[in-house]
Amino acid sequence: MTKVLVATEKPFAKVAVDGIKKIVEDAGFTLALLEKYTDPNDLVKAIADADALIVRSDKVTKEVVDAGKNLKIVVRAGAGYDNLDLAACTAKGVVAMNTPGQNSNAVAELAIGMMIYMARNQFQAGTGTELKGKKLGIHAYGNVGKIVACYGKGFGMDVYAFDPFVAKEVIEKDGVKVVESIEKLYSTCDYVSLHIPATEKTKKSIGYELLSKMPKGAALINTARKEVIDEEGLKKAFAERADLKYSTDIMADCHAELVEKFPGRVFATPKKMGAQTVEANINAGLAAAHQIVGYIKNGDKKFQVNK
Ligand code: 3PG
């Protein structure tokens, strides 16, 4: 019988797991759960007899893929698939997919929450500022960026975006101003919300050059990936500019040093939590289960990312 393994170091809400189970069992498949594991070898062992795998940010390495003797499909229940070894999947004929858009609203809401939190001095005493009238820069106008732009407008912000992969007209139709260069986005905006994926090109791409261009009192909001930040560059810009702020839900490797050197200007959640809502868990988890059933029963490869 086809076995679907859900391996989530950071588990889905129970209601989402129940929903996944129902979809899988209605299709005549069985479900296995590996939650809150801390040793990557647990995944290597659990994948041994699975036909399909659902993960979140869990690392699907070559070792995991090779250990999945019956493995046919891996679905990353979420947007970014930098945690999947796509070459290893392709080499073994395993289809890799993501579930684009399914958790975007949760991430977008957190990005806005972080802007307010930083604008109000991390909810400490003292006089804060308002988002209204400030310039918001959306760095990459994908599923999340588009929603952040919409919510920013709701707060009365003046919204700008930079995304060379999205047509100008598409962005402008949302009442968002397109800037032609990344430098222009950072030099213009009081808040920049990052929504770029972590790729060989984008890793360490946000550093001193861009941060030091930001207007006085600006804040960088990172709900994307920690890898896109050049941490040395960030430290240098923050040492030179006592007004800059940084908030993220993916803690920098040098987070302790940042907090010590730049008190009140850096905030990070203890765990990545942008997509950690019941709604996002249901949307992404159930989509992943449907995609597995669709592929195994009908060969549907709509969301394949290793083409
Ligand atoms: C994504 O890429 O979908 C988000 O970063 C969410 O990741 P998570 O499923 O680990 O919370």
Side-chain angles (χ1 to χ4, degrees):
M1 196 192 269
T2 300
K3 180 172 168 179
V4 179
L5 172 67
V6 175
T8 45
E9 174 270 318
K10 184 175 61 190
F12 288 123
K14 187 180 177 304
V15 61
V17 177
D18 291 346
I20 294 169
K21 193 171 186 319
K22 182 160 186 341
I23 292 164
V24 165
E25 290 181 353
D26 283 353
F29 303 166
T30 57
L31 185 84
L33 264 185
L34 174 69
E35 293 184 324
K36 293 188 188 170
Y37 62 98
T38 47
D39 183 350
N41 281 321
D42 291 349
L43 177 53
V44 174
K45 282 183 211 145
I47 196 82
D49 60 347
D51 298 273
L53 174 65
I54 296 176
V55 289
R56 296 186 64 178
S57 289
D58 308 72
K59 287 200 172 18
V60 181
T61 60
K62 181 174 185 317
E63 199 188 355
V64 171
V65 176
D66 288 345
K69 299 289 170 225
N70 303 331
L71 193 62
K72 296 163 189 65
I73 175 167
V74 175
V75 183
R76 191 286 190 238
Y81 46 88
D82 45 310
N83 54 320
L84 310 183
D85 187 330
L86 294 186
C89 290
T90 305
K92 283 210 58 194
V94 172
V95 167
M97 296 186 185
N98 65 346
T99 64
Q102 299 291 349
N103 58 20
S104 305
N105 186 68
V107 181
E109 285 190 11
L110 185 74
I112 295 286
M114 285 189 160
M115 286 177 218
I116 296 173
Y117 190 59
M118 297 313 274
R120 295 298 181 97
N121 304 320
Q122 301 188 30
F123 298 162
Q124 300 301 309
T127 306
T129 54
E130 298 178 17
L131 298 189
K132 187 175 176 183
K134 303 297 183 303
K135 292 185 169 68
L136 166 62
I138 308 292
H139 189 169
Y141 205 75
N143 289 317
V144 183
K146 195 179 161 68
I147 303 173
V148 175
C150 169
Y151 293 163
K153 285 180 61 181
F155 276 91
M157 299 179 89
D158 190 11
V159 187
Y160 297 74
F162 173 74
D163 192 330
F165 302 103
V166 178
K168 201 171 182 241
E169 306 72 54
V170 171
I171 300 175
E172 285 176 345
K173 204 159 56 67
D174 292 342
V176 173
K177 298 180 182 86
V178 173
V179 294
E180 303 298 344
S181 73
I182 186 172
E183 288 78 15
K184 184 80 183 154
L185 189 80
Y186 283 75
S187 62
T188 303
C189 296
D190 303 297
Y191 292 86
V192 170
S193 191
L194 273 175
H195 303 292
I196 51 176
T199 65
E200 286 321 306
K201 272 203 168 151
T202 63
K203 280 179 189 167
K204 291 189 191 246
S205 64
I206 312 299
Y208 180 79
E209 290 302 321
L210 292 174
L211 294 174
S212 56
K213 284 189 170 56
M214 293 183 86
K216 191 167 169 21
L220 178 68
I221 309 295
N222 181 8
T223 53
R225 290 290 181 272
K226 72 173 179 183
E227 290 82 2
V228 301
I229 304 291
D230 168 16
E231 296 189 7
E232 289 309 310
L234 185 138
K235 277 191 266 180
K236 188 174 171 211
F238 272 52
E240 282 181 15
R241 293 265 311 268
D243 58 306
L244 294 176
K245 292 176 186 164
Y246 180 55
S247 179
T248 183
D249 74 324
I250 326 102
M251 202 176 268
D253 292 334
C254 66
H255 177 70
E257 185 186 345
L258 290 176
V259 170
E260 194 198 321
K261 284 191 176 157
F262 313 115
R265 297 165 53 199
V266 178
F267 172 75
T269 57
K271 267 209 165 210
K272 186 171 159 202
M273 57 170 292
Q276 197 59 325
T277 65
V278 170
E279 294 88 341
N281 286 179
I282 292 172
N283 293 344
L286 271 56
H290 281 303
Q291 287 171 217
I292 285 172
V293 174
Y295 175 64
I296 292 185
K297 295 220 165 190
N298 309 316
D300 184 354
K301 296 185 188 175
K302 184 162 176 216
F303 294 104
Q304 185 174 4
V305 291
N306 62 335
K307 288 185 224 182

